Amino acid sequence: VIICMDRAGLVGPDGPTHHGIFDIAFLRIIPNIIITSPKDGFELHDLLFTALKENKLFSIRYGKISTTYTVNYLPKLLKIGTWERIKEGENIAILAVGSMVETSMIVAGLLKKNDNLSISVYNCRFIKPLDVDMLNLISDKYKNIYVIEEGSILGGFGSSVLEYYNKNIKIINNSIILLGIDDNFVTHGSRKQLLDEEGLSDTKIYNKIKDTYEK
């Protein structure tokens, strides 16, 4: 069974009833389900291809991402529960989901240019299962960890990261900050306006990281 959610995150002028911000929270409690979110159109094809090959309960959430791809693109089979590091840095780790991957790359550029901070950005395309090997490496290497998702913080991807660390690793020196949609219903507005109001615009994320970064 493949579940495709084509209005994940904040959908802008489609209206307040169309925002897809609660799906991670209610889907990830289902045992053995695979929950994914592509960063762009190429990865969407990869995940669809993988879902068809796996023949399992498989969810793909995609929202306002870049869907440009070449017609002759041959999709890749992805290993279940694996992330990719798309930018390497020394000071901060950003764990981003879906549309927030592109935003995180912009934020990483701002932090490097304005504050001389070196950022690693991880594309967390598998929300469930988590890439636990990557999480272990991240907790060992980075004091400052930011988890960014265009969905509810309550019960969302960031919550699952905290749950894993709480159960498996003693977090003593790590600062782990979750950025997402707070415990509220989101109103009507342009996507740009709503992202800014919810603290998920590149400017708001940049300011949040700059204000909370611990040397």
Side-chain angles (χ1 to χ4, degrees), residues 10-202:
L10 302 173
V11 296
D14 285 355
T17 60
H18 284 61
H19 299 306
I21 59 178
F22 304 120
D23 57 296
I24 296 175
F26 68 71
L27 280 177
R28 75 179 187 88
I29 64 173
I30 301 173
N32 302 318
I33 190 173
I34 299 167
I35 306 174
T36 67
S37 187
K39 68 179 186 299
D40 56 28
F42 291 102
E43 194 162 68
L44 173 58
H45 280 66
D46 293 341
L47 289 171
L48 282 168
F49 181 72
T50 302
L52 290 169
K53 292 291 185 180
E54 286 293 330
N55 194 29
K56 296 177 181 177
L57 182 56
F58 204 110
S59 170
I60 304 173
R61 70 183 316 263
Y62 59 96
K64 304 296 183 178
I65 57 173
S66 171
T67 53
T68 302
Y69 68 97
T70 55
V71 175
N72 60 349
Y73 176 69
L74 296 177
K76 302 186 295 292
L77 184 67
L78 301 177
K79 184 178 179 181
I80 301 299
T82 58
W83 300 344
E84 62 171 352
R85 185 177 61 195
I86 59 177
K87 188 178 187 306
E88 184 173 3
E90 297 299 321
N91 303 119
I92 293 171
I94 296 179
L95 282 57
V97 172
S99 62
M100 291 293 103
V101 173
E102 182 178 0
T103 301
S104 296
M105 290 295 289
I106 295 172
V107 171
L110 291 172
L111 288 163
K112 180 62 178 178
K113 178 182 177 181
N114 299 334
D115 307 283
N116 197 31
L117 291 174
S118 177
I119 315 300
S120 277
V121 177
Y122 295 84
N123 169 27
C124 304
R125 56 198 176 191
F126 284 93
I127 296 169
K128 183 180 180 181
L130 298 171
D131 189 336
V132 296
D133 291 335
M134 193 78 80
L135 280 174
N136 293 342
L137 292 172
I138 290 169
S139 67
D140 286 341
K141 183 173 181 179
Y142 298 98
K143 177 180 179 181
N144 295 272
I145 303 170
Y146 292 83
V147 186
I148 308 176
E149 60 189 306
E150 200 175 331
S152 172
I153 293 176
L154 294 181
F157 169 66
S159 294
S160 69
V161 170
L162 289 180
E163 288 164 12
Y164 173 77
Y165 279 147
N166 179 67
K167 184 177 180 180
N168 297 281
I169 298 175
K170 290 185 177 180
I171 299 297
I172 299 175
N173 297 315
N174 301 80
S175 169
I176 304 174
I177 294 179
L178 310 185
L179 300 178
I181 310 297
D182 284 326
D183 187 19
N184 58 264
F185 289 108
V186 180
T187 60
H188 182 273
S190 69
R191 177 169 161 75
K192 182 178 180 180
Q193 171 193 344
L194 295 176
L195 284 169
D196 195 66
E197 288 180 358
E198 296 299 326
L200 292 176
S201 63
D202 49 23

